[in-house]
Structure formats: structure tokens, C-alpha cells
Amino acid sequence: MFQTQNEVLVVAGSGTAAMDSAVANLCSPGDRVVVASAGNFGERWLQIATAYGTDVVHVEQAWGERLDPARIGEAAAGAQAVYVTQSETSTGVVHDVQAIADAVRPTGAALVVDAVSSLGGVDLRTDEWGVDVVVSGSQKALMTPPGLAFASISKRAWELHAQARSPRYYLDWSTAHRAQSKNDTAFTPPVSLLFGLRVALELVETRGLDATFAHNRRLARAAREGVKALGLDLYSPDDDTSAMVTAFTMPDGLDGQQVFGQLRDRFGIVLAGGQGPLRGRIMRIGHMGYLNEFDIITALSGLELAMADLGYRPPVAGAGAARALELFGREPAHV
Ligand SMILES: *Cc1c(COP(=O)(O)O)cnc(C)c1O
């Protein structure tokens, strides 16, 4: 899944535990680091790096933008590590990690990528692109319940780890590494999740990574086209890079949180609202994980009904689901 020869550490915790570990294990207080953000999860890197007392250079872009590799490369000169996000789940943007890696490489800084919502959903060639640390969690594209966090660690990142003096205990990479090299875990493992993960990984192995990525793009296309057919404007980019989350803007006078509540309470369908400054203004359909065509059609149909309850009428009744069905019929399934 990580497309790497590096060791992948597994700890009990949500994805943020792996993010936390990637600061605590690479940095000492006062170290210069770069955080590039254009949304809520990018800003989480900023909070963690600040909590550990690093000297943070924040390459800040507006929410919803794509990270600019050139700006990140410029800021990375003299930095110990650069922290970025692959799939910015709060906006639906998938950043170009390969281009960012190319920009960071000449500076010698270690590149750390938050792939919590994208690992196993979109391509991330850890070794080929030269990403030092990739962190992820079990509950998004990895199709498993929440509670496992992962970090793949390059040789150079292990060297930085040996120098890093940030306080750490539960998430110390050396502790996890010592146990894993004896096929053990340092602390009580969530056994049930590991069994679940094995099933998910076997599924991906059977399908193949490329077919899994193609499956995600196909679902995402239907979600985008369906949303547009409902007369709504996309917030996330209208192209195949947005394979994990489709975000769209609320029409004037409609509150996304109300639509969210209506969908959940009436139909048991849980979409996501906007985070931070986007709360109420956008909604998000997450299509990473164990999903098929019906999940998209159900989301679009439920959305139409819930919005109708709140007074919104699409240009043509049923147009969202119909458009999704049309696309599914046109492009054969990949898995
Ligand atoms: C969900 C998510 C996280 C946080 O993961 P938790 O498992 O909630 O700790 C971090 N980054 C991204 C991009 C995410 O989508």
C-alpha cells in the first residue's frame, strides 16, 4: 500500500497519532520546519509542530487552493522537515505530492506527507517520489474501522530520529520498531482492527492498486456529475484528481449543517459538512473506502430529498442519480 521498501510502523491510535509521531520523532524544539497548508488538516500540522516548540515557517494558502510546490521548495531551504497533506479532506483537493517532492529534494529537508485519507485511494509512490515519511490511518481509504495509525520511515528519517530530542514515549518510533522487528507490538495491539485490516489489504491485493484507484476515480466522477446535475456548484476541483472527496457549495439561503442534519436524521445518511470557515457553506461527499455505485446514488438521492425538505428544487427531478447511473453505465466497473 505504501509503495515502499521502508519499514511501516503500526500503532494503536487515530491518524493524528501518526502525525504527532512524525513531529516528535524527527524534530527538536527550535528546529526550523516548514508546514504548507490550504485547509483544516494542513493546519493540524501547524498545531502539532507548534506544540512541540519547533520554529515553524508556515506556507499558508487559502482553503481550497492547491499547494504551490515552488513556494514550498523556497521555504524549505535550511529546514529540517517539510510537512504537507496529500488529500486535504476539508476541501476535497488532492495536492501534487510528486511535484512537492521534486521541489523539496534539492534542499535536503525531509518530506513528511499526511496521507490519512488518501493512502490506498490515490497513487502515492513513496520510494519513487522520494517521500521520507508517509502517515496514514485505518479508517478512510484503507476501509477498516478507526483506531490504527501507520508511518513509513525512510533511512534518512531514521537518521533524523536518532538526533531528535522532542519528548515522546508512547509514540516513540524506536520502541515500535524494536517490538515490530520481533513480530510483536510494544503495547497492547487492537487485535480486532488488525484482523479487519488484513481483510481490507487482501481485497486491495486481489483487485490491484491501479484498479482500486480507477474505481475511486469512477465513483468520484459520478459524484461530481451528479452534484452538478442537481444544480449545485462544485467547491472541490472538477477533475479526476479529486478522487477522495467531492465538496460543493450551498445555494444562497441554505445552511449545510441543516442539510447534514436532515440527511442523517431522516435517512441515516452521513455526509460531511464544512469545517472551520467553511462550516454551513459547503458539504462534502466522502467517497474513499469500502464503497460501490449504490453509495453514490444513495448519497445523491438522499441529498435531493433532504434539500427538497428545506425548500430547494433541482432543475430536473432525479437528475443527480440519473446522471450518476448514466456514467456508471458508460464506463465499466474496475473492481
Ligand atoms: C481524517 C484525517 C486526519 C485525522 O485523522 P484522525 O484519524 O481523525 O486522527 C488527518 N489528516 C487527514 C487528511 C484526514 O482526512
Side-chain angles (χ1 to χ4, degrees):
M1 293 301 269
F2 280 79
Q3 303 192 61
T4 184
Q5 299 301 313
N6 297 330
E7 182 176 11
V8 177
L9 299 179
V10 183
V11 297
S14 79
T16 306
M19 294 175 72
D20 190 309
S21 83
V23 177
N25 284 274
L26 287 177
C27 303
S28 305
D31 279 351
R32 167 71 57 93
V33 304
V34 173
V35 167
S37 78
N40 189 45
F41 291 103
E43 290 181 7
R44 184 163 299 178
W45 278 132
L46 182 68
Q47 290 166 0
I48 298 169
T50 304
Y52 280 101
T54 62
D55 173 17
V56 190
V57 178
H58 188 196
V59 179
E60 185 177 14
Q61 292 184 228
W63 286 41
E65 285 183 4
R66 238 186 259 285
L67 291 177
D68 178 353
R71 280 187 63 191
I72 297 170
E74 255 167 56
Q80 173 98 340
V82 174
Y83 294 89
V84 300
T85 315
Q86 185 178 32
S87 163
E88 178 49 79
T89 320
S90 65
T91 66
V93 171
V94 173
H95 298 300
D96 187 345
V97 170
Q98 184 176 15
I100 294 169
D102 287 344
V104 169
R105 192 173 307 111
T107 70
L111 178 62
V112 181
V113 174
D114 167 2
V116 174
S117 68
S118 52
L119 191 87
V122 301
D123 208 7
L124 177 47
R125 301 187 185 177
T126 304
D127 288 356
E128 192 182 317
W129 297 349
V131 182
D132 292 286
V133 177
V134 173
V135 300
S136 196
S138 51
Q139 80 273 25
K140 298 207 179 133
L142 290 177
M143 304 188 284
T144 305
L148 288 171
F150 312 97
S152 81
I153 301 154
S154 72
K155 184 163 170 290
R156 211 155 57 87
W158 279 112
E159 288 163 10
L160 293 176
H161 165 71
Q163 311 295 323
R165 287 176 285 99
S166 290
R168 52 187 183 252
Y169 181 77
Y170 182 73
L171 297 174
D172 194 307
W173 286 348
S174 294
T175 309
H177 164 74
R178 266 195 303 278
Q180 273 186 221
S181 46
K182 289 180 279 182
N183 202 24
D184 198 359
T185 55
F187 309 107
T188 310
V191 178
S192 52
L193 294 178
L194 291 164
F195 277 97
L197 180 68
R198 184 165 70 184
V199 173
L201 294 179
E202 281 169 358
L203 190 62
V204 175
E205 201 165 33
T206 306
R207 293 169 162 180
L209 263 186
D210 286 341
T212 304
F213 299 152
H215 171 69
N216 276 309
R217 287 194 297 272
R218 179 170 178 267
L219 295 184
R221 267 199 295 280
R224 284 197 303 277
E225 290 298 314
V227 161
K228 288 192 286 181
L230 288 173
L232 302 168
D233 294 328
L234 288 175
Y235 177 82
S236 49
D238 190 4
D239 61 54
D240 270 351
T241 63
S242 293
M244 303 282 87
V245 172
T246 295
F248 50 94
T249 313
M250 281 295 106
D252 280 343
L254 223 60
D255 177 359
Q257 292 309 113
Q258 263 190 310
V259 178
F260 170 85
Q262 191 74 4
L263 267 168
R264 183 195 52 198
D265 298 342
R266 227 155 86 70
F267 307 117
I269 297 172
V270 179
L271 297 193
Q275 296 180 314
L278 296 175
R279 192 177 165 82
R281 290 179 44 211
I282 67 164
M283 290 197 70
R284 296 172 295 149
I285 301 175
H287 34 69
M288 73 275 283
Y290 188 62
L291 301 181
N292 68 19
E293 291 85 341
F294 284 108
D295 295 295
I296 302 298
I297 292 163
T298 303
L300 291 166
S301 307
L303 186 64
E304 179 171 344
L305 290 173
M307 289 179 78
D309 288 343
L310 298 168
Y312 178 82
R313 296 275 175 284
V316 179
R323 181 76 178 119
L325 280 165
E326 185 190 344
L327 289 177
F328 287 143
R330 202 184 288 164
E331 183 187 354
H334 301 274
V335 300

